[in-house]
Amino acid sequence: MPDDYRKTLIRQIAQHAHSEIVGMLPEANWVTRAPSLKRKAIALAKIQDEAGHGLYLYSACETLGVDRDDLLEELHSGKAKYSSIFNYPTLTWADMGAVGWLVDGAAIMNQVPLCRTSYGPYGRAMVRVCKEESFHQRQGYDTLLALVRGSEEQKKMAQDALNRWWWPSLMMFGPADADSKHTAQSMAWKIKRFTNDELRQKFVDATVPQAELLGLTIPDPDLKWNEERGHYDFGEINWDEFYNVIKGNGACNKQRVHDRKAAWDNGAWVREAATAYQEKKSKSNNTVAA
Ligand SMILES: [Fe+2]
Ligand SMILES: [Fe+2]
């Protein structure tokens, strides 16, 4: 395997794994405040799925010869990146709907082509991830559907969530193709099968009719169907905001890394207990074998 190919995969898969587990944080915020037992159970299941996605991806990454603890250390020290979307706060219950619909929806657009990426362990991990992401997307849409069918106040809450999450969701596809330093090489290696701008366009085209069905307005005055292109035209993304959040200046960057570190430290006893149990078990297995 060429060294640069390996390095690129490690960067991408680790970044993806980090995004899965950091993505649990904005949602955990709502477990105790979900409006019903049903919604609480759904939120818990979704958050647990994201932990599982992290595990598959860290495992896939380890097949490339890196150590999971080192990857986590890079996340905790701020050296490794994760999706900038998780540095935005989830202020209301409607945000849980918008996150499922838009953020998981954008993740699906990105990840379905990755099921056929050129590195097998990554592609195989993506198959199950995508099935679960599509459940996440639907539960988000269903949450918003319930809100838009509710009171005026609930409908307003749904619109407000869409207003805040729309643009950051478009940023999830990464920089414009002209400014993306990795895209051309990753396409040549067939790690990526579509460019950032192609995926962003697919997402806009798929999501606009879904917003119409909800009776919500996408916060983009330039959004318009282009008959000639057969796609929606849309406005310019605020790239200053995008790069600013990536640099660590988003509303929640510090809090997210702090919470991840705390989760790692508070979980030390679980890792120690699991290791001790494993050692005890393998000792008694050896005794039986002898
Ligand atoms: Fe996920
Ligand atoms: Fe998800």
Side-chain angles (χ1 to χ4, degrees), residues 20 27 46 49-50 53 104 107 132-133 136-137:
E20 298 287 353
E27 313 222 296
K46 177 179 191 282
D49 283 352
E50 305 300 5
H53 299 173
D104 292 274
E132 292 175 347
E133 291 305 349
H136 298 170
Q137 198 260 357

Side-chain angles (χ1 to χ4, degrees), residues 38 40 59 116 161 187-188 213 227 251 255 257 261 282 288:
K38 181 181 121 182
K40 193 192 288 275
S59 298
R116 298 181 58 224
M187 295 283 287
L213 199 74
E227 195 66 56
Q255 188 192 337
V257 173
K261 266 197 234 161
S282 60
V288 173

Side-chain angles (χ1 to χ4, degrees), residues 100-121:
W101 173 38
L102 301 172
V103 177
D104 292 274
I108 293 170
M109 277 301 166
N110 251 320
Q111 292 170 7
V112 166
L114 286 174
C115 295
R116 298 181 58 224
T117 191
S118 57
Y119 187 58

Side-chain angles (χ1 to χ4, degrees), residues 71-280:
L71 298 176
L72 286 167
E73 174 51 38
E74 284 178 4
L75 173 64
H76 298 157
S77 70
K79 197 181 151 212
K81 298 270 179 266
Y82 53 84
S83 181
S84 61
I85 193 87
F86 300 120
N87 294 313
Y88 291 84
T90 42
L91 302 177
T92 70
W93 172 249
D95 286 25
M96 290 298 289
V99 166
W101 173 38
L102 301 172
V103 177
D104 292 274
I108 293 170
M109 277 301 166
N110 251 320
Q111 292 170 7
V112 166
L114 286 174
C115 295
R116 298 181 58 224
T117 191
S118 57
Y119 187 58
Y122 190 24
R124 287 191 287 276
M126 279 302 110
V127 174
R128 177 157 172 183
V129 168
C130 284
K131 284 186 187 154
E132 292 175 347
E133 291 305 349
S134 96
F135 156 73
H136 298 170
Q137 198 260 357
R138 281 165 212 206
Q139 70 80 33
Y141 196 76
D142 182 67
T143 298
L144 289 178
L145 208 53
L147 288 174
V148 298
R149 286 173 179 164
S151 66
E152 246 342 277
E153 212 179 345
Q154 285 173 314
K155 194 170 174 187
K156 254 195 211 147
M157 205 196 270
Q159 180 64 54
D160 170 63
L162 173 58
N163 293 348
R164 283 179 293 107
W165 289 93
W166 175 253
W167 290 104
S169 299
L170 294 193
M171 293 176 198
M172 279 178 73
F173 297 92
D177 291 349
D179 302 318
S180 171
K181 51 182 181 181
H182 301 296
T183 293
Q185 184 58 78
S186 289
M187 295 283 287
W189 279 329
K190 294 197 167 43
I191 295 174
K192 282 177 84 139
R193 307 181 64 91
F194 297 95
T195 70
N196 296 353
D197 286 337
E198 284 168 349
L199 290 167
R200 196 168 2 247
Q201 182 71 63
K202 270 176 186 252
F203 175 75
V204 172
D205 291 347
T207 310
V208 172
Q210 295 170 359
E212 282 166 2
L213 199 74
L214 288 170
L216 297 177
T217 309
I218 290 178
D220 178 358
D222 296 322
L223 186 76
K224 203 168 87 228
W225 178 252
N226 183 323
E227 195 66 56
E228 217 169 286
R229 293 200 311 122
H231 292 291
Y232 281 94
D233 290 336
F234 53 96
E236 185 64 30
I237 288 170
N238 182 346
W239 293 112
D240 290 341
E241 177 182 324
F242 172 74
Y243 287 112
N244 198 36
V245 176
I246 285 190
K247 268 185 221 142
N249 303 321
C252 301
N253 295 61
K254 286 193 185 73
Q255 188 192 337
R256 300 295 185 233
V257 173
H258 169 272
D259 289 352
R260 272 312 321 163
K261 266 197 234 161
W264 176 255
D265 294 341
N266 294 335
W269 69 272
V270 179
R271 292 190 298 279
E272 281 161 21
T275 312
Y277 177 71
Q278 187 58 39
E279 274 166 14
K280 197 169 129 192

